[in-house]
Amino acid sequence: MATRTATQLRAEERDRYDAYLAACPARKLLDRISDKWVSLLLTALAGGPQRYSELSRTIAGVSQKMLTQTLRGLERDGLVTRTVTAAVPVRVDYALTPLGASLLPVMTAIKAWAETNIEAVERAQRAYDQAGA
Amino acid sequence: MATRTATQLRAEERDRYDAYLAACPARKLLDRISDKWVSLLLTALAGGPQRYSELSRTIAGVSQKMLTQTLRGLERDGLVTRTVTAAVPVRVDYALTPLGASLLPVMTAIKAWAETNIEAVERAQRAYDQAGA
DNA sequence: CAGGATCCAGTATGATACTG
DNA sequence: CAGTATCATACTGGATCCTG
C-alpha cells in the first residue's frame, strides 16, 4: 500500500471532478438528447402516435435493442408516453408528451440544418482532404 | 454449405440495406452534429475565437484527445477555422466559420432547452422510477 | 406483436507519455 | 503551448434466441 501517491491523488481529484460533472444535470440531459436515435424518434412521432413496429419501420436501421432502449429512456424522461392495449396480439402505442413536443422544434431544426447544409459540408470535407494530401 | 438459407438471405438484405443507409449523408451528418462535444465547442466559440488551452478550460472535462479530435472534425466539416501563429510558444486560435455560425442558433436552442427543462425531466424520472419500484 | 435476456465486436473515450 | 502516439477499457450497438 505504498506504491501510490500522486496517482491516487489524481484519481481522487478525478472522482471529485466527475462527481461535480454528474451534479450538473443539464450537461447530462444535453448529452442524452444529443443522440441520433432520439432526434429520429421524436421527429418520427411528430405526425402523431405510432406503434412499436411502425416506428421500427419508419426509423429504418434501428435495432430492436436501440429502439426499445431509446423509447424507455424517453418515457422515463417524460418525453413520450407508452400505451398498452390488451388484445390478442398486444398493441403498444407511443406518443409525444407536451414536454416532448416542446423539444420537437429544436430537433426538427437540427434535422433541417443537416439536410440543408450537407452539400456545403461535403465540399468543405473535399477541400480539407485535398489540402491534406 | 447447406445450413444457411433464410439466415443468408437476411444477411444479404441487411448488407444491401446498410449500403443504402451509408448512402444517405444527411443522416451521417445529423449523427455527427448530435454530439456532446460538438454542441459544447460550438457554443463555447459563440463569443469569439479561442485558443486551444482556453477551450480546454472552458469545456472543463474534455480530454486532450476528444478536444483535438472534435476540433479536427469540425474543421474538416468547415464549421471552424484553425489559425496557427508562429511564436515562441505556438499559438493556435479556433473560430467559427459562417457555416458554423449558422448552426450556432440551433445548438444554443438545444442547450437552452436542456437547461430550461431539466427540472421537468427530473420530476418525470422520479415519477417513473417510483412507479417501477 | 412487443419486447426481455444474452453474447460479442467495434468504437468511443480516457489516461499516460512523448514532441516540435 | 499545442498537440501526437499508444495503450487500456468502458460503453455502444447489433445479432440472436426466447417469452407473454
Side-chain angles (χ1 to χ4, degrees):
Chain A
M1 304 292 212
T3 48
R4 50 207 166 116
T5 345
T7 304
Q8 181 136 64
L9 284 177
R10 232 175 303 142
E12 284 172 10
E13 266 180 44
R14 175 177 52 75
D15 288 346
R16 224 175 321 160
Y17 177 64
D18 279 356
Y20 170 68
L21 272 193
C24 175
R27 184 168 292 191
K28 290 180 69 179
L29 178 58
L30 177 62
D31 196 23
R32 213 142 7 103
I33 62 180
S34 292
D35 181 73
K36 174 168 72 173
W37 301 126
V38 168
S39 56
L40 290 174
L41 263 179
L42 290 183
T43 53
L45 288 174
Q50 285 203 46
R51 301 180 60 173
Y52 183 88
S53 51
E54 287 176 327
L55 285 173
S56 82
R57 251 172 285 121
T58 303
I59 307 295
V62 67
S63 65
Q64 272 193 347
K65 181 179 179 178
M66 281 303 98
L67 183 55
T68 301
Q69 187 173 302
T70 307
L71 283 169
R72 284 292 181 282
L74 290 176
E75 189 193 356
R76 192 173 103 97
D77 289 347
L79 298 179
V80 305
T81 57
R82 177 173 178 272
T83 310
V84 182
T85 307
V88 178
V90 191
R91 177 198 177 96
V92 179
D93 287 275
Y94 291 91
L96 289 176
T97 65
L99 189 58
S102 76
L103 181 54
L104 193 54
V106 188
M107 291 288 130
T108 306
I110 295 198
K111 192 156 160 287
W113 188 92
E115 289 165 355
T116 306
N117 297 95
I118 176 64
E119 291 192 357
V121 168
E122 286 185 328
R123 271 196 301 278
Q125 287 179 359
R126 276 192 297 272
Y128 183 91
D129 294 344
Q130 283 263 316
Chain B
M1 303 298 198
T3 46
R4 45 196 169 133
T5 343
T7 304
Q8 181 137 60
L9 283 178
R10 233 176 300 141
E12 286 171 10
E13 267 180 45
R14 175 178 52 76
D15 288 347
R16 226 174 320 161
Y17 176 66
D18 279 355
Y20 170 70
L21 272 193
C24 177
R27 184 170 291 193
K28 290 179 68 177
L29 178 58
L30 178 63
D31 196 22
R32 209 135 18 93
I33 62 180
S34 292
D35 180 73
K36 173 170 68 176
W37 302 125
V38 168
S39 56
L40 290 173
L41 263 178
L42 289 182
T43 52
L45 288 174
Q50 285 205 46
R51 301 179 60 171
Y52 183 89
S53 50
E54 289 176 327
L55 285 173
S56 83
R57 248 171 287 119
T58 303
I59 307 296
V62 66
S63 65
Q64 272 192 343
K65 182 176 179 178
M66 278 305 96
L67 182 55
T68 301
Q69 187 173 304
T70 307
L71 283 170
R72 285 290 182 285
L74 291 175
E75 189 192 357
R76 193 173 103 96
D77 288 348
L79 298 179
V80 306
T81 57
R82 177 173 179 272
T83 309
V84 182
T85 306
V88 179
V90 191
R91 178 199 177 95
V92 180
D93 287 276
Y94 291 90
L96 290 176
T97 65
L99 189 59
S102 76
L103 182 54
L104 192 56
V106 187
M107 290 289 132
T108 306
I110 294 197
K111 192 156 159 288
W113 188 93
E115 289 165 353
T116 306
N117 297 96
I118 176 64
E119 291 191 359
V121 168
E122 286 185 327
R123 270 195 301 277
Q125 287 178 0
R126 275 193 296 273
Y128 183 91
D129 294 344
Q130 283 262 316

